[in-house]
């Protein structure tokens, strides 16, 4: 089977998008979120810098954690809100883990986050099942379904494999009903929580070490820790993530893995991802016009060469395509009693139309 293409519509091509060798893989896997750990409007775009200022200079691990948490939180919100319209939804808990032993210096990680063991809580999505059970960032995970992290989950080589094995075990438990997690809060006594997941679109969200792009590969949305979009306000950042998520929802990498790269068709796929972006934002409670704000902020600064390539429309054209979706979203919202915009029924894919035309052409 051909290797699936990776969509990188928002910045330069970065070969491989590989995970760091010395850091935990930080899988913000919406599926592992499960309990795991399972792409001119008013005013300028605000920076995240103010939110990251503390009395002292934050350590690199803290900055990485904050960006991981932001990606996780936004991804969880987009994935769970749009689950009614996603095929093959998975169960998620809103919990993201990381393994201190996956880093280059495990002792420094444990000390930095005050962990009493190797497995820590990297992030918890607000309003998630994990949050409802009182699990918080930097709690230490002691056991999963009665299996002790210390005694029943031996360290692995490569070291990141243990975290993936634990994630998969949690995924499996959630798929069957619930996962039992014993944890120790910072400075507190051991507690046990039984968590049942909620539905989410099956996309993982991963922060990639030292990269500056955002990409989608069919199953994951991968965002570099130095992605410029982290400096944007949350709705604009969410628009970038929604664009990449749209590629996965619409199965663009799988499509091009089957038919090969066709420049005009890639351009249509990018247009589709732009057009679906405001639908996903609306359902997650963001202003869908944040997609326009993102494009108007991003395009002139970062879209120089790539937005002029024949595989992409110009950023100003992309704004027009997004704007054309807004009245459709409003009509769809009015038809739905819960206020959600059913893109599964009311969104029309330009790429699918063209593929259908080619299949029936003489």
């Amino acid at each position: 089977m051909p290797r699936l293409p990776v969509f990188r519509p928002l910045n330069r091509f970065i070969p491989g998008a590989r995970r760091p060798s010395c850091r935990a893989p930080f899988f913000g896997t919406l599926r592992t979120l499960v309990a795991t750990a399972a792409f001119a409007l008013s005013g300028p775009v605000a920076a995240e810098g103010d939110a990251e200022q503390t009395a002292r200079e934050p350590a690199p691990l803290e900055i990485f954690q904050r960006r991981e948490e932001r990606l996780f939180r936004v991804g969880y919100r987009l994935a769970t809100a749009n689950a009614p319209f996603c095929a093959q939804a998975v169960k998620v808990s809103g919990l993201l883990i990381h393994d201190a032993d996956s880093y280059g210096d495990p002792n420094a990680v444990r000390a930095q986050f005050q962990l009493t063991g190797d497995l820590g809580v990297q992030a918890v999505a607000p309003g998630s099942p994990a949050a409802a059970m009182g699990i918080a960032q930097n709690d230490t995970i002691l056991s999963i379904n009665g299996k002790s992290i210390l005694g029943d989950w031996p360290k692995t080589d490569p070291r990141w494999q243990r975290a993936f094995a634990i994630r998969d075990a949690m995924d499996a438990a959630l798929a069957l009903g619930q996962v039992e997690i014993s944890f120790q809060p910072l400075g507190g006594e051991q507690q046990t929580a039984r968590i049942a997941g909620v539905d989410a679109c099956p996309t993982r969200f991963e922060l990639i070490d030292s990269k500056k792009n955002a990409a989608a590969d069919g199953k994951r949305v991968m965002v570099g820790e130095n992605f410029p979009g982290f400096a944007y306000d949350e709705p604009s950042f969410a628009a970038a993530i929604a664009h990449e998520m749209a590629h996965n929802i619409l199965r663009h990498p799988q499509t091009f893995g089957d038919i090969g790269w066709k420049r005009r068709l890639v351009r249509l796929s990018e247009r589709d991802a732009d057009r679906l972006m405001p639908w996903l934002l609306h359902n997650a409670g963001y202003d869908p016009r944040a997609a326009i704000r993102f494009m108007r902020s991003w395009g002139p600064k970062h879209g120089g060469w790539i937005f002029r390539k024949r595989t992409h429309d110009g950023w100003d054209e992309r704004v027009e395509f997004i704007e054309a979706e807004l009245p459709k979203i409003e009509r769809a919202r009015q038809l739905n009693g819960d206020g959600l915009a059913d893109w599964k029924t009311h969104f029309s894919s330009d790429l699918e139309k063209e593929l259908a035309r080619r299949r029936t052409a003489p």
Side-chain angles (χ1 to χ4, degrees):
M1 179 178 178
R3 182 179 180 182
L4 295 182
V6 175
F7 282 73
R8 296 180 175 87
L10 299 179
N11 212 324
R12 288 182 177 272
F13 175 84
I14 297 181
R18 298 187 181 276
R19 295 188 183 94
S21 58
C22 63
R23 272 197 179 141
F26 285 103
F27 37 85
T29 165
L30 248 277
R31 183 179 156 183
T32 253
L33 307 187
V34 153
T36 168
F39 253 187
L41 268 181
S42 57
V45 178
E48 93 175 324
D50 291 343
E52 288 196 345
Q53 290 303 315
T54 58
R56 58 175 176 77
E57 188 71 19
L61 280 173
E62 291 178 285
I63 296 173
F64 195 93
Q65 185 182 62
R66 292 174 188 180
R67 293 183 178 180
E68 174 91 317
E69 188 275 337
R70 191 183 196 199
L71 173 61
F72 183 87
R73 170 169 43 85
V74 168
Y76 178 90
R77 183 169 167 179
L78 288 166
T80 55
N82 285 282
F85 314 115
C86 276
Q88 301 177 331
V90 297
K91 293 294 183 180
V92 303
S93 71
L95 173 64
L96 178 67
I97 63 167
H98 64 144
D99 186 350
D101 195 60
S102 297
Y103 294 76
D105 188 346
N107 291 330
V109 174
R110 286 189 288 266
Q112 177 70 59
F113 298 122
Q114 301 180 55
L115 302 177
T116 58
D118 281 340
L119 203 67
V121 175
Q122 178 75 337
V124 178
S128 67
M133 297 303 297
I135 300 177
Q137 187 178 65
N138 295 329
D139 288 352
T140 301
I141 304 295
L142 303 174
S143 69
I144 305 294
N145 292 328
K147 295 181 65 175
S148 164
I149 303 302
L150 180 63
D152 297 317
W153 295 98
K155 297 179 181 181
T156 58
D157 184 16
R159 291 183 293 176
W160 52 263
Q161 284 184 338
R162 178 170 66 167
F164 273 61
I166 294 171
R167 176 201 68 188
D168 291 345
M170 298 174 83
D171 285 350
L174 282 167
L176 292 174
Q178 64 179 16
V179 62
E180 181 181 284
I181 301 174
S182 292
F183 64 99
Q184 183 174 9
L186 284 172
E189 299 296 322
Q190 178 176 340
Q191 300 180 37
T192 298
R194 292 176 178 85
I195 301 175
V198 295
D199 287 339
C201 296
T203 289
R204 301 179 185 274
F205 298 84
E206 297 183 6
L207 192 65
I208 305 298
D209 182 68
S210 302
K211 305 300 182 184
K212 295 183 179 180
N213 75 321
D217 69 355
K219 296 181 179 180
R220 301 174 296 167
V221 169
M222 300 167 289
V223 180
E225 65 171 315
N226 297 318
F227 178 55
F230 279 113
Y232 292 5
D233 62 23
E234 181 163 312
S236 299
F237 176 74
I241 305 309
H243 175 102
E244 301 300 341
M245 182 176 164
H247 280 304
N248 289 345
I249 287 173
L250 298 171
R251 296 183 57 80
H252 290 157
Q254 290 89 340
T255 295
F256 290 107
D258 291 338
I259 69 175
W261 288 92
K262 308 267 194 289
R263 181 175 292 168
R264 182 171 182 272
L265 296 183
V266 171
R267 184 168 185 149
L268 290 178
S269 74
E270 292 299 332
R271 191 177 299 171
D272 279 351
D274 287 341
R275 292 172 50 237
L276 186 57
M277 184 172 18
W279 293 78
L280 302 179
L281 290 172
H282 168 82
N283 289 340
Y286 295 112
D287 180 358
R289 293 185 66 85
I292 298 171
R293 179 165 60 191
F294 167 76
M295 198 61 69
R296 285 179 171 165
S297 299
W298 179 273
K301 295 179 181 178
H302 303 284
W305 68 276
I306 197 166
F307 283 158
R308 291 197 295 269
K309 289 176 71 69
R310 292 174 63 189
T311 53
H312 294 67
D313 297 305
W315 70 264
D316 50 346
E317 295 173 294
R318 299 176 84 166
V319 167
E320 292 175 3
F321 286 121
I322 294 169
E323 287 179 326
E325 294 299 312
L326 300 181
K328 301 176 189 177
I329 294 170
E330 179 59 23
R331 287 194 295 270
R333 182 194 68 79
Q334 293 176 4
L335 290 171
N336 232 9
D338 56 11
L340 296 178
D342 181 357
W343 46 262
K344 184 176 181 181
T345 301
H346 300 289
F347 178 82
S348 178
S349 165
D350 289 343
L351 175 61
E352 288 303 316
K353 289 179 186 176
E354 177 59 20
L355 290 173
R357 185 194 67 78
R358 294 188 179 199
R359 285 192 293 266
T360 58

